[in-house]
Amino acid sequence: MAIDLSVEIKTERGSLVLRNPILTGSSEVAGDEITIKRCIENGVGGIVTKSVGHITSPGPAVTTSKPCYFPLDRFGRQYSGAWLIQAGYTAEEESFEKMLEKAVPKWYKICHDAGVPLINSVLELGWEMEIDDVANLWAGIAKRLEDAGSDAIELDASCMASKIVYGRGDQPILASEELWAEEEFARKIISRTMAVTKVPIGAKLSLFHNPIARVALSWVDEGLNFITGHNILPSTAVFIDVEKEEVFGTPGEIMYSAGPTMVPLSLNRLSYALRAVDVPIIGSSGIFKASDIVQYLLLGCTAVQVTSAAFYKGHKVYKELLEGLEDWMKRHGYTRIDQFRGKLLEEATCLRSEWDEKYGYKMAPYEKGKEFKYLQTGGKSPSPIVPRFDPETCTLCGRCDDQCLWGVIRLDKERETLNINDKLCMGCGMCVGICPNNPGALWLEDKRTGEVVWDGVGMVKSFKKKETGGHSLA
């Protein structure tokens, strides 16, 4: 079957048509003619450039040490694909006017010759200035980029690049994320930018913009056309090599860290924004494989931005991601992205109070002190949901025995079996989740009906019984 990967970012100021949902993220990945061409050659649906302004250059970031990029694989598989940058900062562009006059029009021509929209990111300074002057500065750059050929503008409300260089505490900090955390500041920049431009205008969230639904609403209230979320984590980690007894990389805190562990955090926050506002939201942060993209799309994002994976794998990662996305769609019977976009937003944001109404799941009434009494007396099991195993599939590795805090499962090596004591079981599911041979070896079962409740993958099956009259844990 033919797969159509095209998407449309619809706004009140017109649409951006992408041949596929993958955009570059604002960074050196698409910071000059060479990198923009390489992104397009590897199939991206749209270009978001490195931020443009008086405090940033279109080329590589300036660093105070070589090396400055450090992959984190050695710290465990949970960091596979993650990396950090240290000792970096943004540099003032010496030929800003020349860049606007010559570089941006060339980027525009490269993109339009390839049928790819050009979205320029804007970043400007803002400390020790009156708020009106700051807003005029941002709006002025956006207008000039529009005049130079930009199809859309993304206001970089979340840049963290200068925290290390410019200090902490009372010292001046360039980082836009802290400036944009002030609602009045953000509203003023957006409204002023919207007043002088005609192309779609968006802004990029930081993980520190809270509460996210209120932030998104206030931005859209001023006319913002789309939102991107999220930028990477700034200045939030220290990695220590315990064998060498040394700080990993360079001394001091890192500039920022990036990688796949960011995906669930970003998804959670965007779920609130997606329910709060009716503008396109572009998912970003942590995308490393095609399944990460699918998660953002299933949640309801219109498109995604991929940045850190390109640093880690090179520009060829875009081809890999597109092939993976197309393969997933084929396996699941989809021919267009709009057939599954937003399919899981309601599940991702469902409240416990809605479980009965939406899924027919009736919670057991709360009994104060029940768990405490159970632990003290070894009394009746508080849950009818207990583990069961398949002797043909189970390898008797013993992980469930080692893990169980209550001693429910015991490995009998002599008889080559698992002994399960239902009376001690809390029905927590940890044993099922950690089983290396699932699905198939170990599952949770409702001992009243013999039905499988959870086999370690996907959503708990108790929430899929709406059509059959519901399910009760009581």
Side-chain angles (χ1 to χ4, degrees), residues 25-43:
S26 176
S27 70
E28 293 77 23
V29 165
D32 56 24
E33 291 179 53
I34 294 174
T35 50
I36 289 172
K37 286 179 179 178
R38 295 195 70 183
C39 289
I40 292 172
E41 288 167 359
N42 282 278

Side-chain angles (χ1 to χ4, degrees), residues 356-372:
D356 191 1
E357 175 188 352
K358 292 184 176 180
Y359 303 102
Y361 187 98
K362 297 176 176 60
M363 291 186 293
Y366 175 68
E367 295 181 31
K368 187 176 181 180
K370 181 176 182 180
E371 286 78 9
F372 177 78

Side-chain angles (χ1 to χ4, degrees), residues 140-372:
I141 297 300
K143 172 59 177 170
R144 296 183 68 181
L145 285 168
E146 176 184 85
D147 293 342
S150 297
D151 295 302
I153 303 293
E154 182 181 87
L155 304 173
D156 190 352
S158 53
C159 182
M160 74 305 294
S162 301
K163 283 176 178 283
I164 308 299
V165 172
Y166 290 91
R168 307 177 185 175
D170 295 330
Q171 299 179 54
I173 293 179
L174 248 111
S176 61
E177 64 171 2
E178 289 155 332
L179 299 173
W180 277 74
E182 296 292 332
E183 186 172 321
E184 181 186 3
F185 179 94
R187 283 181 177 271
K188 185 78 74 170
I189 289 180
I190 293 170
S191 62
R192 196 65 55 85
T193 301
M194 300 301 295
V196 301
T197 58
K198 296 180 180 179
V199 297
I201 304 295
K204 193 169 189 176
L205 285 161
S206 162
L207 288 161
F208 299 115
H209 289 154
N210 293 300
I212 186 171
R214 175 175 171 175
V215 170
L217 280 167
S218 68
W219 290 3
V220 172
D221 215 27
E222 296 299 330
L224 199 71
N225 301 126
F226 66 91
I227 291 174
T228 302
H230 292 84
N231 214 331
I232 51 184
L233 278 171
S235 308
T236 52
V238 171
F239 285 85
I240 294 175
D241 188 322
V242 297
E243 295 304 321
K244 298 286 290 184
E245 298 183 45
E246 296 173 344
V247 170
F248 183 67
T250 63
E253 79 178 345
I254 65 173
M255 181 174 169
Y256 57 75
S257 57
T261 53
M262 293 302 304
V263 171
L265 175 57
S266 183
L267 289 171
N268 173 259
R269 288 171 54 80
L270 290 185
S271 69
Y272 291 97
L274 283 160
R275 293 294 291 265
V277 299
D278 188 25
V279 299
I281 290 184
I282 300 172
S284 179
S285 197
I287 295 172
F288 193 69
K289 52 188 184 296
S291 60
D292 298 327
I293 295 176
V294 174
Q295 290 188 70
Y296 279 103
L297 296 176
L298 282 168
L299 189 70
C301 294
T302 302
V304 296
Q305 289 184 8
V306 180
T307 307
S308 64
F311 278 91
Y312 196 90
K313 291 185 175 181
H315 289 99
K316 69 176 183 179
V317 73
Y318 295 117
K319 279 185 178 179
E320 294 177 5
L321 292 171
L322 286 168
E323 290 171 358
L325 175 59
E326 186 169 351
D327 178 65
W328 181 88
M329 289 175 64
K330 286 179 180 177
R331 288 188 287 108
H332 288 259
Y334 296 117
T335 58
R336 303 186 316 276
I337 288 173
D338 60 11
Q339 292 172 336
F340 64 90
R341 182 192 291 116
K343 179 180 179 180
L344 299 184
L345 178 60
E346 187 173 335
E347 288 184 4
T349 56
C350 182
L351 302 175
R352 280 178 293 177
S353 58
E354 301 172 316
W355 282 358
D356 191 1
E357 175 188 352
K358 292 184 176 180
Y359 303 102
Y361 187 98
K362 297 176 176 60
M363 291 186 293
Y366 175 68
E367 295 181 31
K368 187 176 181 180
K370 181 176 182 180
E371 286 78 9
F372 177 78

